[in-house]
Structures are given as structure tokens and as C-alpha cells.
């Protein structure tokens, strides 16, 4: 019977099923798995410590020469809780408006997932800002910065410690960003030799521009039919939420290294709850969870904050 506790439980269970289904087939396409590695935690925070490499091996002089490693910077992620709830008019149940009830369940789940995406996009939309959402960084710098440092003594940071520029996306600036990314140095001052796949993270506004740059076979902006060296060298990662803050900024990333250093934590996966308010007869449905992200190191990307 409508209005009984048993009936309301049945409706709540059905809405829970809809919420779980929405998590699998949501209208919101999550970009988090494409850009972040998956972190694991059962604590209030997680802290990571870096350590330098080892200086080059020495020519043999009759005995081993002991080398020293140096501490790097620490980074810490502190998880936050996000929550939402709906009070559903009892008349919707009385009038058997079940389609509306199920849509409300979907909307509640979407509100949580949408918040996750809006927080995640900040790692690129605020790439040059050290006002972190979840992170504490000993270095104290944004991941895209022209003044990165090292704790290793006697290592020059004049070259290979800047991973940001101001160039608009075109074939020349993409080639320049690739060279700059390849010339980044580790904490010991050594060039980083990697075969990691490259991708360009862009707002939707730049999707056609990038497709032309990396998809044209020959004669890009020329009449000579010259081979396009960008063809097949990069993949495109367009993200519509980036358009909210800039339609011109873009990032070149080492995909594999990015997923090692840029970690997303679903500390507490979304929890769905329902109960009846005895005073108003409203069905109260709520969702909550805890999450956060951090970057352990910055050498996975090169960002252009276009002037």
C-alpha cells in the first residue's frame, strides 16, 4: 500500500538501483580514468616522498665509490567529503509519478559525479596555480611552472626545470612543446629518456585545430605536399569542461608517466541513503562520498597558458 513503510522501502530500493545503474551508464562521460592513475587509501590522507636518483657510475679505480642519494619533495593529499540530498514530495508517490522519482534518483547521482569532474578538471584549468584543492606540496609550486627546483646540491635549474609556455596551439608550438617536454631534467639534472605515449589535452574549441594538425597526411599549411611530422605522434584528449575557463590553453602530456604521478582517490565511493521524514512525510534521498587527487611529480606534462 502506498505510504506504508514497506512500500517506501521498495521505492527507495528501486531508486538505489537506478542510482547504481546511473553510475555505469551516466550521461556524464568521466575523464578521470583517461587522465588519472588510481590511488588507494584507507586513511584520512596519503603522503608521498620522493628521492633522487644516483649519480653516474665512476671509472673503476680499484675499489667501489659510494654515491649518495638525496631526499626530494613531499606531497600530500587530504580527502574531502562531498554530499547532496533531495526531499521528495510525498504526492509524487501518492500520484504514482514513478518516472519522476527515478529521474530524481538519476539527477542526484549526476550531481555527485558532475562535482567530481569539475574538481578533476582543475588540475588542467588551474595548471599554473598553487591554490590546490586537496594537495599540500613541499615545493609549493604549481605542476606547470617556470621555476621548479631540486634539493640535490650543485644541480643547475636554468634549463630543464620549466614546463610552461604561452604559445597558442599550432604546428610550430606543438613541436616546440614536444622538444621542451623531452628536455625536462630529473632531480639530478639528467635528461629524461622515455618512450611514453604523447597526448594533447585541449578544450573542445581546439578539437578541430588539433585534428587538422595531427591528422593531415601531407601539405599541412603548405602547397609542397611535405610530410606532416605530427601525423600519428599524438593522441587528442578533448575535455568540454576546460572551455569554462579557457578556450585557448592546452597541455602536452606523457600519458604513462602522467598516470603514475597524477593520482585520483575515491576514498569513499558514493554512498546512497534514503529515509522518511516523519514530520513532512517527504522521502529524503541523499548521496555522499570522499575523494581527492594530487600530483607527486611535475615532469609528466608541458602546459601552455596562452596569453
Amino acid at each position: 500500500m502506498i505510504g506504508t513503510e514497506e512500500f517506501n522501502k521498495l521505492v527507495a530500493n528501486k531508486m538505489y538501483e537506478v542510482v547504481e545503474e546511473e553510475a555505469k551508464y551516466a550521461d556524464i562521460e568521466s575523464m578521470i580514468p583517461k587522465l588519472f592513475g588510481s590511488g588507494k587509501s584507507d586513511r584520512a590522507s596519503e603522503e608521498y616522498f620522493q628521492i633522487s636518483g644516483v649519480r653516474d657510475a665512476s671509472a673503476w679505480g680499484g675499489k667501489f665509490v659510494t654515491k649518495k642519494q638525496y631526499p626530494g619533495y613531499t606531497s600530500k593529499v587530504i580527502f574531502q567529503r562531498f554530499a547532496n540530498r533531495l526531499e521528495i514530495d510525498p504526492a509524487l508517490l501518492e500520484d504514482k509519478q514513478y518516472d519522476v522519482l527515478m529521474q530524481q534518483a538519476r539527477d542526484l547521482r549526476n550531481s555527485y559525479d558532475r562535482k567530481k569532474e569539475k574538481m578533476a578538471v582543475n588540475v588542467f584549468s588551474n595548471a599554473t596555480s598553487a591554490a590546490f584543492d586537496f594537495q599540500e606540496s613541499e615545493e609549493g609550486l604549481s605542476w606547470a611552472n617556470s621555476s621548479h627546483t631540486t634539493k640535490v646540491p650543485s644541480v643547475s635549474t636554468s634549463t630543464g626545470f620549466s614546463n610552461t609556455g604561452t604559445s597558442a596551439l599550432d604546428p610550430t608550438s606543438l613541436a616546440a612543446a614536444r622538444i621542451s617536454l623531452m628536455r625536462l631534467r630529473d632531480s639530478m639534472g639528467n635528461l629524461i629518456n622515455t618512450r611514453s605515449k604523447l597526448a594533447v589535452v585541449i578544450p573542445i574549441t581546439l578539437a578541430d585545430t588539433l585534428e587538422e594538425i595531427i591528422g593531415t597526411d601531407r601539405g599541412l599549411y603548405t602547397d609542397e605536399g611535405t610530410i606532416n611530422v605530427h601525423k600519428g605522434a599524438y593522441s587528442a584528449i578533448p575535455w568540454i569542461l576546460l572551455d569554462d575557463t579557457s578556450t585557448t590553453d592546452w597541455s602536452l602530456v606523457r600519458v604513462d608517466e602522467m598516470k603514475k604521478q597524477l593520482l585520483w582517490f575515491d576514498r569513499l565511493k558514493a554512498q546512497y541513503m534514503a529515509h522518511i521524514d516523519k514530520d513532512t512525510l517527504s522521502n529524503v534521498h541523499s548521496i555522499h562520498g570522499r575523494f581527492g587527487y594530487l600530483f607527486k611529480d611535475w615532469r609528466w606534462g608541458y602546459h601552455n597558458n596562452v596569453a
Side-chain angles (χ1 to χ4, degrees), residues 191-255:
L191 290 169
I192 301 171
N193 184 20
T194 177
R195 296 181 178 179
S196 182
K197 297 176 291 185
L198 297 177
V200 189
V201 182
I202 50 169
I204 291 294
T205 302
L206 291 179
D208 289 346
T209 299
L210 181 62
E211 180 60 29
E212 184 178 17
I213 294 172
I214 68 176
T216 301
D217 289 317
R218 292 176 177 270
L220 182 63
Y221 297 152
T222 69
D223 295 325
E224 291 79 14
T226 53
I227 293 175
N228 177 19
V229 296
H230 296 301
K231 173 74 173 181
Y234 315 89
S235 60
I237 305 180
W239 197 348
I240 185 63
L241 293 184
L242 287 171
D243 291 69
D244 274 347
T245 52
S246 174
T247 58
T248 56
D249 291 358
W250 57 283
S251 302
L252 179 63
V253 299
R254 293 182 172 116
V255 176

